[in-house]
Amino acid sequence: QVQLVESGGDLVQPGGSLRLSCVASGSIGTINTMGWYRQAPGKERELVARITAAGITNYADSLKGRCTISRDNAKNTVYLQMNSLKPEDTAVYYCQLVRYGFLYWGKGTLVTVSS
């Protein structure tokens, strides 16, 4: 069983920054991909960024250039540093882990960008 716990969501003003964290525990192994998705009210969940265990990353266009995904394999933690936040970045941000074709999700952390 895999558990993912996100943290770091907050209310931030436009132009501000946040760093989200996701700690994985359980049978996560060493070969997995971790990522961040987000879901805004009334919209579908969408990819923000993901990173393989080897550190290969890919980003969606929505936050590309304004965010950085990283991971600490020793801590089983993935981070999402977001900068120059916009009101349209308001969403619940979810952590995902993919291992051998199985997908696991955290419960999400709310990011609100508003003045």
Side-chain angles (χ1 to χ4, degrees), residues 26-99:
S27 302
I28 60 174
T30 57
I31 302 174
N32 57 64
T33 295
M34 297 186 74
W36 288 95
Y37 286 70
R38 69 182 184 182
Q39 187 166 19
K43 295 189 176 181
E44 293 187 353
R45 193 173 296 189
E46 63 176 3
L47 171 71
V48 176
R50 55 186 167 214
I51 182 168
T52 69
I56 299 170
T57 60
N58 71 292
Y59 295 89
D61 290 340
S62 56
L63 271 166
K64 201 169 188 177
R66 298 189 292 120
C67 73
T68 302
I69 190 170
S70 60
R71 64 188 287 170
D72 184 334
N73 291 331
K75 295 182 179 180
N76 295 326
T77 301
V78 63
Y79 305 97
L80 184 69
Q81 175 68 43
M82 300 187 291
N83 304 315
S84 302
L85 285 163
K86 305 174 182 179
E88 52 263 43
D89 296 320
T90 295
V92 177
Y93 285 70
Y94 296 93
C95 180
Q96 183 200 65
L97 185 145
V98 182
R99 182 169 182 258

Side-chain angles (χ1 to χ4, degrees), residues 18-32:
L18 276 179
R19 188 174 87 150
L20 307 182
S21 300
C22 172
V23 179
S25 61
S27 302
I28 60 174
T30 57
I31 302 174
N32 57 64

Side-chain angles (χ1 to χ4, degrees), residues 9-20:
D10 205 347
L11 170 64
V12 62
Q13 291 189 345
S17 298
L18 276 179
R19 188 174 87 150
L20 307 182

